[in-house]
Amino acid sequence: MKFQIEDVTVYFPYDHIYPEQYAYMVELKRALDARGHCLLEMPTGTGKTIALLSLITSYTLSKPNNPVKLIYCTRTVHEMEKTLAELKLLHAYQTTHIGDRARILAVGLSSRKNLCVNSRVLAAENRDSVDASCRRLTASWVRAAAAANPNLPTCEFFEEYEKAGSNAVLPPGVYTLQDLRAYGKEKGWCPYFLARHMVQFANVVVYSYQYLLDPKVAGYISKEMQKESVVVFDEAHNIDNVCIEALSVSVRRQTLEGARRNLNKMRQEIEKFKATDAGRLRAEYNRLVEGLAQRGNLPFTDNWLSNPALPDDILKEAVPGNIRRAEHFLHVLRRLVQYLEGRLETDNVEKEGPVGFVASINTHAGIDQKTLKFCYDRLHSLMLTLEITDTDEFLHIQTICDFATLVGTYTRGFSIIIEPFDERMPHIPDPVLQLSCHDASLAIKPVFDRFQSVVITSGTLSPIDLYPRLLNFHPVVSRSFTMSLTRDCICPMVLTRGSDQLPVSTKFDMRSDLGVVRNYGRLLLEMASVVPDGIVCFFVSYSYMDGIVNSWNENGILKEIMQHKLVFIETQDVVETTLALDNYRKACDCGRGAIFFSVARGKVAEGIDFDRHYGRLVIMFGVPFQYTLSKILLARLEYLRDTFQIKEGDFLTFDALRQAAQCVGRVIRSKADYGMMIFADKRYSRHDKRSKLPGWILSHLRDAHLNLSTDMALHIAREFLRKMAQPYDKAGGSGRKTLLSQEDVEKMSDGILNEMQY
Amino acid sequence: MNNGNGRRLNGETEEDDDDEGSEGDLDAWERTYADERSWESLQEDESGLLRPMDNKTLYHAQYRRRIRSLSSQATTSRIQKGLIRYLYIVVDLSRAAAEMDYRPSRMAVVAKHVEAFIREFFDQNPLSQLGLVTIKDGIAHCLTDLGGSPESHVKALMGKLECSGESSLQNALDLVHGYLNQVPSYGHREVLILYSALSTCDPGDILETIQKCKKSKMRCSVIGLSAEIFICKHLCQETGGSYSVAMDESHFKELILEHAPPPPAIAEFAIANLIKMGFPQRAAESSIAICSCHKEAKVGGGYTCPRCKARVCELPTECRICGLTLISSPHLARLPRSCFGCQQSLPNPGNKPSLRVACPKCKQHFCLDCDIYIHESLHNCPGCESFRHLKSPIATEE
């Protein structure tokens, strides 16, 4: 269908549109007009992605003299593929209605592991080793050597791609990763380098968060992006954590040992070069004197991770004299590693700011701040000079240099925490030195500064006013949309009491109480006997889950549950969890019924959908607060309070509730679906906790469901499931319309818009 | 408006009470509480207020939906209905059947309505046969073989009402599949499963069993008693049956009775078939013969197969000796109304406010209540009939 939003003609590939999608588009359009950033919350299953894509592409079509590029960031490869598939549909629709003018180029970009078509390279097991084996075949010196000696292996796809030169372009169209691989195979071109090349010219780029947020990667992938771009972060409820992780480094004993090995190897290499090819080292020295800025002249296959330091001036400065010579630099690194080893030999927890830490390095190891700052770049320059292709073996020394550069660059927003052992296992010495970033805005700031509009969107962004403060930006639009439903297909409940009317909670002083454990057990047991197919349970942590499942086992509740449904458990092992999930699905499919025990903040809570019969009920046992005794969290809370005036309690509640909302949101993925959500903790009934849930859950949370005991919840569940099993009219026969046709949209005034907003 | 309806509804029930007051030994008000459990049908609305007991709109909506589905089928093609049905009713007597959310228990409610259904079924499908299967302790038992006598089925079911253990859909399907596979191809193979449990505990891959059922053209329908189960939905979708979940007892009754009229024939089966049938004579009152069904001597009653002269007790049935379908002429006479019925009435909003439908042939309008009466009891359209009567005198005059 085709309709007008103010001055933009929107081409939408479906015949009907949900009112909230329309409202979403209107808000988005206004944000684009204002060239500002925006925050939009809309529940999953309402077609966020297609609304975004069709509005932004239509916006470009309506304003041909001012084209905007769309950079769409997703969390996982799976989401990337889904987005590109939707875009394909949209593109087909637009080209049939407008013709060739609507042709665009859209590519997905992922790591070599997902794009490589060379079977020899793909044999490597993880991402880093795929990268390394690719480099072993494509680095410039390898290819130069291969030109002289044809017996050396090279990658035929890359050679073909290089041969085609500037002719190697993708014709317009939408390319998923699979399409790229197919196209690469057909033409004999390397899809990875082709995609990386085409990113500059594409109208739509879909890739992972890291390519924009992680400064190590962003430097060389996203450097070329024009300012007139719209950046979309989809499923962005955890964006602050992604930002923080991108700038945090942790150093363990193994890291330091590995770094020592790397240094020895490098020394040998240097000796070798000194004997055979001293001129190379000399040339590097000269280049460093002139400054790192010339790095750009290197052929781009050699151009790996560039500097994590953001300030531009570092590129203009020359490398300090004491690390210009290769052997001197190695000495500096050796001293740094030694110093860090010394720091790890501590018996108590230490916490320090970057300034103090740098000063102490200076006095003990004699390395000043400026030298530290250049470590990362200097290391890579050296590795290029030494023609090292096995980058995966040198990860340890890279980590150390990364650490050094971050410490040397930032004076605020970081802290260094040294813990001699894990809090939970004080007998096992496992010293770790962590450089933790507290300020999410550091990593995302360049993105906000560089691009015209940044759209942050997710199903759960409540409370929506906290994100601008955490990320330190000013959105022009921040809105939350609710879902228009033809029937009440979600049923959230807050369960505060067990069947014996005693309160249940995972509060620290109550969690080991046998009564609470038993009440939780009874709740699950009773629910298992009335809910068909799949039930998903989320616990606050692995240790809590282990404890409670253990005691359920002891008092026989688990056995009773097993009579109704099979039980599967998420573990920290990925393979095991995947297997458990597979079997869980199988059990739901064949009618046996199953329960999946999982942990909030775990892999399952973030990425796996439990839609339709895979999740008819989700029970959130307790409030998933972070581990509040963690030193890193405490340091971050302190920083947030001092810098952004966010109270500790507020942040913790916000974080816990967004996790809870994420967990329960797994259960409903489309409007035709239905599911129940039980928040089993008395603390959820308090207003300050509850009010932080997203609007689309809150609007279905009736007052009568706020303070339930197990038997009442059971009754409600029975009624709800019976009601949902009845056939219903998908178009929404009575009352408000939930599907709009073209005429409806044309007729629509702002009336509905206001109704949709919170 | 709701209140008005509610009041009128209450008024009606009172009148009914007065009519029947003479026969019961309980007082009217006592009986209302004992039998009808009116408080269970009370419902709260969103704000916690009591909702008036107004199920009229619900019924109307359901009825309209039915008419619409009928009319859409009627317009696309002339549907052929399966007249000779071989139906197995599978009653789930697993642990879940003891639950008390239906009073006194799911099991008792199911049994009560199965009884009513069996009678209704033979009333509407005089040529068809029916058998009973129960699931208990994860094993399916055959309670009665396919047969045409309602009494024997009802008796067998009532004698076996106790429940325990798990439920297994696959075992039940396998068992029924074994029986129905032997049924002649002109008959319609159907299974109606009354499922209390929320899971099925199977020895093998149930999906294969479902495919097997699909292949042998068994139409499997399920009525759930508590919630929608994926595997049941899948089973019904695959085999072309209907899946429904009962809200309460009256809804359950409605759902199970929906299965009494013959369903549309499966496409591949919809070829005209000639079936050989015998019309046995009733034996003389005083004659003594050994009947072939019970293997005992009986005086009087019974029928004699016209081909092999064997004696059978009841009609309709299949002759034990020669396999001839035995039927009496009243059975056959009852048939047409269920297959042809009267003409369709189509929903027509019109310009009058109330809900009504119009007969497409005579263009007379009827209110919904009348329409239900016409379709379910009268089986012919009063409008058309009266036109015919008007016409015929004219014809005679000429």
Side-chain angles (χ1 to χ4, degrees):
Chain A
M1 63 194 277
K2 191 175 114 181
F3 54 87
Q4 224 35 60
I5 292 182
E6 286 156 24
D7 55 337
V8 171
T9 315
V10 179
Y11 295 89
F12 191 74
Y14 302 106
D15 289 337
H16 294 274
I17 184 171
Y18 296 137
E20 60 268 33
Q21 282 179 317
Y22 182 78
Y24 188 89
M25 287 189 190
V26 171
E27 293 300 331
L28 189 60
K29 195 239 155 210
R30 288 184 186 149
L32 292 186
D33 281 343
R35 290 164 187 267
H37 311 313
C38 65
L39 270 174
L40 297 169
E41 180 190 38
M42 189 157 91
T44 38
T46 47
K48 248 188 333 255
T49 311
I50 192 67
L52 257 168
L53 291 174
S54 70
L55 182 90
I56 295 175
T57 48
S58 307
Y59 191 84
T60 319
L61 284 173
S62 299
K63 309 196 170 174
N65 45 1
N66 180 20
V68 288
K69 181 172 188 148
L70 171 60
I71 304 174
Y72 196 98
C73 301
T74 61
R75 272 185 325 180
T76 60
V77 176
H78 177 68
E79 279 169 22
M80 191 186 297
E81 293 279 38
K82 262 199 323 206
T83 309
L84 282 164
E86 290 235 45
L87 187 61
K88 219 176 210 177
L89 196 81
L90 174 70
H91 186 236
Y93 177 84
Q94 286 180 340
T95 42
T96 49
H97 278 76
I98 314 173
D100 281 346
R101 200 164 62 82
R103 289 212 168 272
I104 53 166
L105 175 64
V107 286
L109 180 61
S110 182
S111 66
R112 287 178 172 90
K113 183 162 176 42
N114 294 319
L115 278 176
C116 187
V117 286
N118 189 328
S119 50
R120 268 173 301 158
V121 176
L122 271 180
E125 70 268 28
N126 61 29
R127 209 184 71 200
D128 291 319
S129 42
V130 170
D131 285 0
S133 47
C134 176
R135 274 193 204 105
R136 227 169 281 146
L137 297 177
T138 59
S140 60
W141 56 87
V142 173
R143 295 180 52 229
N149 173 10
N151 289 336
L152 281 177
T154 53
C155 174
E156 61 275 15
F157 293 101
F158 184 74
E159 294 302 323
E160 281 295 312
Y161 167 72
E162 275 291 277
K163 233 181 265 166
S166 56
N167 292 331
V169 286
L170 282 169
V174 179
Y175 295 89
T176 62
L177 300 183
Q178 209 176 348
D179 296 338
L180 275 174
R181 282 198 300 268
Y183 187 78
K185 263 194 189 142
E186 181 198 320
K187 288 270 182 183
W189 294 341
C190 172
Y192 174 74
F193 285 102
L194 182 63
R196 248 179 70 179
H197 179 60
M198 292 317 290
V199 160
Q200 298 171 37
F201 311 108
N203 307 78
V204 180
V205 181
V206 182
Y207 55 34
S208 134
Y209 278 23
Q210 267 69 29
Y211 288 125
L212 268 187
L213 290 181
D214 192 339
K216 295 193 283 278
V217 199
Y220 73 106
I221 296 280
S222 311
K223 206 161 50 185
E224 315 277 311
M225 303 291 185
Q226 67 213 39
K227 179 169 171 31
E228 291 78 27
S229 299
V230 182
V231 178
V232 176
F233 289 103
D234 197 6
E235 299 288 330
H237 45 271
N238 271 344
I239 193 165
D240 54 327
N241 293 342
V242 177
C243 292
I244 282 171
E245 270 161 34
L247 289 184
S248 296
V249 184
S250 65
V251 176
R252 289 171 187 277
R253 260 206 196 123
Q254 302 90 296
T255 324
L256 292 174
E257 281 159 14
R260 266 188 190 281
R261 276 200 306 277
N262 294 345
L263 285 175
N264 286 338
K265 185 132 187 239
M266 283 164 96
R267 205 191 57 213
Q268 285 165 11
E269 290 282 318
I270 289 173
E271 295 299 324
K272 210 162 71 190
F273 267 100
K274 258 191 185 156
T276 58
D277 193 4
R280 255 193 103 82
L281 291 172
R282 189 78 223 155
E284 189 204 16
Y285 179 83
N286 289 337
R287 209 172 62 230
L288 292 174
V289 174
E290 286 159 31
L292 280 170
Q294 293 193 350
R295 266 177 340 124
N297 301 340
L298 290 169
F300 77 110
T301 43
D302 304 345
N303 191 0
W304 322 306
L305 319 174
S306 72
N307 61 319
L310 300 165
D312 271 342
D313 53 302
I314 198 165
L315 291 177
K316 289 171 198 129
E317 277 179 87
V319 172
N322 58 348
I323 55 171
R324 274 183 215 161
R325 290 188 72 88
E327 53 270 46
H328 292 174
F329 177 58
L330 286 195
H331 280 304
V332 166
L333 286 184
R334 206 172 284 274
R335 284 207 304 277
L336 180 65
V337 170
Q338 199 165 16
Y339 172 77
L340 292 177
E341 274 173 344
R343 289 302 297 264
L344 277 183
E345 298 279 311
T346 175
D347 288 338
N348 20 356
V349 178
E350 289 173 34
K351 188 185 149 216
E352 229 173 315
V355 180
F357 194 77
V358 168
S360 122
I361 291 182
N362 202 357
T363 50
H364 289 92
I367 310 171
D368 63 353
Q369 182 231 352
K370 195 171 171 207
T371 315
L372 284 175
K373 201 154 83 172
F374 278 92
C375 276
Y376 202 83
D377 277 309
R378 181 65 189 93
L379 176 74
H380 284 119
S381 166
L382 181 64
M383 283 171 77
L384 285 181
T385 315
L386 296 180
E387 299 185 347
I388 290 169
T389 45
D390 305 335
T391 37
D392 54 335
E393 286 175 26
F394 285 85
L395 279 182
H396 298 297
I397 191 70
Q398 285 178 40
T399 312
I400 300 288
C401 287
D402 195 3
F403 172 80
T405 307
L406 284 172
V407 167
T409 312
Y410 293 102
T411 50
R412 283 178 49 77
F414 283 84
S415 60
I416 291 114
I417 294 165
I418 307 168
E419 284 176 289
F421 46 76
D422 194 320
E423 286 279 323
R424 280 157 279 193
M425 284 173 284
H427 310 298
I428 306 160
D430 177 26
V432 55
L433 184 146
Q434 297 178 74
L435 173 74
S436 69
C437 172
H438 304 315
D439 195 343
S441 64
L442 286 178
I444 204 169
K445 188 164 177 293
V447 179
F448 283 131
D449 289 347
R450 261 183 62 198
F451 297 108
Q452 176 181 310
S453 310
V454 176
V455 180
I456 292 179
T457 184
S458 172
T460 44
L461 283 177
S462 300
I464 207 159
D465 53 324
L466 200 59
Y467 281 88
R469 281 158 79 194
L470 279 176
L471 301 177
N472 199 13
F473 76 109
H474 298 285
V476 290
V477 175
S478 74
R479 280 279 147 75
S480 175
F481 302 92
T482 168
M483 195 173 356
S484 60
L485 295 170
T486 45
R487 52 177 187 167
D488 289 332
C489 66
I490 59 174
C491 178
M493 297 179 238
V494 174
L495 183 124
T496 55
R497 287 162 290 141
S499 39
D500 53 4
Q501 304 301 320
L502 290 176
V504 290
S505 174
T506 57
K507 230 160 108 178
F508 194 69
D509 49 345
M510 283 176 72
R511 61 167 57 176
S512 47
D513 185 350
L514 274 182
V516 172
V517 170
R518 200 184 50 237
N519 270 333
Y520 274 147
R522 303 292 320 171
L523 166 70
L524 184 57
L525 175 60
E526 305 263 328
M527 282 297 164
S529 66
V530 299
V531 178
D533 301 327
I535 297 181
V536 192
C537 302
F538 286 101
F539 297 89
V540 289
S541 67
Y542 280 110
S543 59
Y544 182 67
M545 179 169 79
D546 288 348
I548 198 165
V549 171
N550 223 345
S551 42
W552 284 349
N553 186 30
E554 274 160 23
N555 55 24
I557 291 181
L558 202 60
K559 211 170 183 184
E560 285 180 63
I561 292 175
M562 300 270 260
Q563 288 191 336
H564 295 287
K565 289 185 193 304
L566 305 181
V567 174
F568 297 93
I569 297 188
E570 177 189 6
T571 58
Q572 265 141 325
D573 184 44
V574 180
V575 181
E576 221 170 36
T577 306
T578 318
L579 202 68
L581 266 175
D582 271 355
N583 285 326
Y584 169 79
R585 295 231 166 88
K586 228 177 258 166
C588 292
D589 277 336
C590 76
R592 181 66 187 87
I595 300 181
F596 197 83
F597 287 163
S598 172
V599 169
R601 298 173 198 282
K603 265 263 173 290
V604 171
E606 265 299 311
I608 312 290
D609 287 349
F610 293 98
D611 55 340
R612 298 175 298 136
H613 61 285
Y614 296 126
R616 285 297 181 213
L617 165 70
V618 51
I619 307 179
M620 180 77 236
F621 289 106
V623 186
F625 281 114
Q626 286 190 51
Y627 179 59
T628 40
L629 296 180
S630 143
K631 297 287 176 304
I632 297 176
L633 180 64
L634 289 178
R636 184 171 178 208
L637 287 177
E638 196 180 323
Y639 181 81
L640 286 177
R641 192 189 53 215
D642 294 347
T643 321
F644 298 123
Q645 288 78 47
I646 298 172
K647 274 191 252 156
E648 285 103 330
D650 279 355
F651 180 77
L652 285 175
T653 321
F654 149 75
D655 188 64
L657 266 293
R658 85 173 156 186
Q659 287 305 331
Q662 237 344 269
C663 292
V664 298
R666 299 282 106 200
V667 74
I668 186 148
R669 295 274 116 178
S670 83
K671 291 190 176 187
D673 201 2
Y674 64 88
M676 291 184 293
M677 310 160 172
I678 296 183
F679 297 94
D681 193 306
K682 66 168 184 183
R683 288 173 289 176
Y684 283 112
S685 67
R686 280 172 45 188
H687 184 259
D688 65 322
K689 301 272 187 306
R690 202 181 9 147
S691 62
K692 292 201 168 60
L693 286 172
W696 59 278
I697 296 182
L698 269 188
S699 62
H700 286 88
L701 188 58
R702 298 204 203 118
D703 286 345
H705 293 181
L706 279 183
N707 189 8
L708 298 175
S709 64
T710 304
D711 42 347
M712 289 150 85
L714 207 64
H715 181 73
I716 294 170
R718 273 209 186 103
E719 292 294 306
F720 176 77
L721 288 169
R722 286 221 170 94
K723 210 165 82 193
M724 285 300 123
Q726 304 310 315
Y728 75 104
D729 193 4
K730 283 198 175 77
S734 59
R736 53 199 285 186
K737 285 217 156 190
T738 56
L739 272 178
L740 306 174
S741 65
Q742 187 155 347
E743 300 97 76
D744 294 328
V745 174
E746 278 158 13
K747 265 187 278 174
M748 196 155 67
S749 59
D750 290 44
I752 287 201
L753 284 184
N754 296 333
E755 201 181 316
M756 294 301 303
Q757 288 155 11
Y758 266 57
Chain B
M1 182 192 153
N2 277 348
N3 278 340
N5 273 345
R7 211 173 294 142
R8 212 191 65 210
L9 230 133
N10 289 342
E12 277 170 15
T13 50
E14 273 169 29
E15 278 168 23
D16 289 347
D17 288 348
D18 288 342
D19 293 341
E20 296 158 9
S22 51
E23 356 173 315
D25 34 348
L26 291 170
D27 283 330
W29 57 272
E30 273 180 320
R31 207 178 49 245
T32 324
Y33 284 106
D35 299 344
E36 292 176 4
R37 302 182 163 268
S38 55
W39 61 92
E40 280 179 356
S41 58
L42 280 181
Q43 281 182 332
E44 285 182 13
D45 65 4
E46 271 150 53
S47 51
L49 297 171
L50 287 182
R51 221 180 254 164
M53 291 194 298
D54 178 21
N55 296 328
K56 266 255 158 76
T57 51
L58 190 74
Y59 289 140
H60 285 180
Q62 276 173 353
Y63 179 67
R64 282 174 66 98
R65 197 163 56 229
R66 219 171 67 213
I67 286 187
R68 205 172 299 141
S69 68
L70 278 176
S71 65
S72 67
Q73 279 170 356
T75 49
T76 48
S77 65
R78 283 192 54 185
I79 50 164
Q80 188 180 350
K81 287 188 164 185
L83 286 186
I84 302 184
R85 306 166 69 188
Y86 291 90
L87 173 74
Y88 264 101
I89 302 178
V90 178
V91 182
D92 172 17
L93 291 180
S94 65
R95 205 184 312 115
E99 292 229 6
M100 316 263 270
D101 51 350
Y102 292 77
R103 307 284 164 176
S105 73
R106 287 185 187 174
M107 186 167 57
V109 168
V110 168
K112 185 168 127 197
H113 291 296
V114 165
E115 184 187 346
F117 171 75
I118 291 175
R119 292 180 200 288
E120 179 72 21
F121 177 83
F122 285 117
D123 192 38
Q124 296 210 22
N125 309 277
L127 293 182
S128 304
Q129 300 192 27
L130 183 146
L132 284 176
V133 167
T134 57
I135 317 175
K136 197 190 280 185
D137 294 322
I139 303 166
H141 300 274
C142 182
L143 216 54
T144 55
D145 288 326
L146 283 175
S149 134
E151 290 312 321
S152 58
H153 294 305
V154 172
K155 221 166 86 186
L157 178 67
M158 291 308 172
K160 277 286 166 73
L161 271 190
E162 51 208 14
C163 59
S164 65
E166 307 281 334
S167 164
S168 169
L169 208 55
Q170 193 194 9
N171 282 341
L173 285 176
D174 273 336
L175 184 78
V176 172
H177 180 258
Y179 290 132
L180 283 183
N181 236 2
Q182 300 157 3
V183 157
S185 65
Y186 56 78
H188 282 262
R189 303 160 181 185
E190 287 176 60
V191 187
L192 174 62
I193 302 168
L194 308 173
Y195 210 62
S196 303
L198 280 176
S199 61
T200 156
C201 210
D202 300 322
D205 187 0
I206 188 167
L207 299 174
E208 274 173 24
T209 311
I210 292 176
Q211 288 309 316
K212 207 166 72 184
C213 294
K214 190 184 175 186
K215 221 176 268 164
S216 49
K217 314 254 173 0
M218 277 163 61
R219 184 176 186 273
C220 307
S221 303
V222 182
I223 299 177
L225 278 97
S226 44
E228 182 184 272
I229 308 161
F230 172 76
I231 193 71
C232 294
K233 202 173 181 184
H234 180 73
L235 168 71
C236 298
Q237 271 170 359
E238 285 291 305
T239 58
S242 70
Y243 182 46
S244 42
V245 174
M247 300 276 285
D248 49 35
E249 192 177 332
S250 59
H251 189 213
F252 177 72
K253 184 176 166 192
E254 209 171 278
L255 289 176
I256 193 171
L257 289 182
E258 264 175 27
H259 288 273
I266 299 177
E268 294 105 290
F269 267 8
I271 30 165
N273 241 334
L274 289 177
I275 304 161
K276 202 176 261 179
M277 285 182 187
F279 295 88
Q281 275 195 327
R282 196 175 164 82
E285 280 304 314
S286 56
S287 68
I288 302 172
I290 297 175
C291 86
S292 63
C293 31
H294 301 94
K295 315 259 184 318
E296 53 193 38
K298 281 194 175 159
V299 183
Y303 303 85
T304 317
C305 170
R307 192 151 70 181
C308 61
K309 308 289 180 223
R311 176 73 73 96
V312 291
C313 293
E314 274 168 332
L315 288 184
T317 184
E318 223 162 72
C319 176
R320 293 279 170 130
I321 312 296
C322 63
L324 187 68
T325 307
L326 300 178
I327 186 174
S328 69
S329 51
H331 285 136
L332 213 53
R334 282 220 304 269
L335 266 182
R337 74 143 196 251
S338 54
C339 44
F340 309 124
C342 85
Q343 63 279 49
Q344 293 291 347
S345 291
L346 288 170
N348 178 5
N351 49 6
K352 284 184 192 160
S354 61
L355 282 169
R356 65 218 165 84
V357 290
C359 170
K361 217 181 246 173
C362 61
K363 307 283 184 268
Q364 294 292 311
H365 289 223
F366 303 97
C367 77
L368 277 181
D369 289 332
C370 294
D371 192 56
I372 292 171
Y373 174 67
I374 291 168
H375 274 87
E376 283 170 7
S377 310
L378 221 51
H379 298 294
N380 51 19
C381 170
C384 301
E385 290 292 309
S386 58
F387 272 120
R388 217 170 58 198
H389 286 300
L390 273 178
K391 261 186 203 157
S392 50
I394 300 169
T396 45
E397 269 173 28
E398 281 174 6

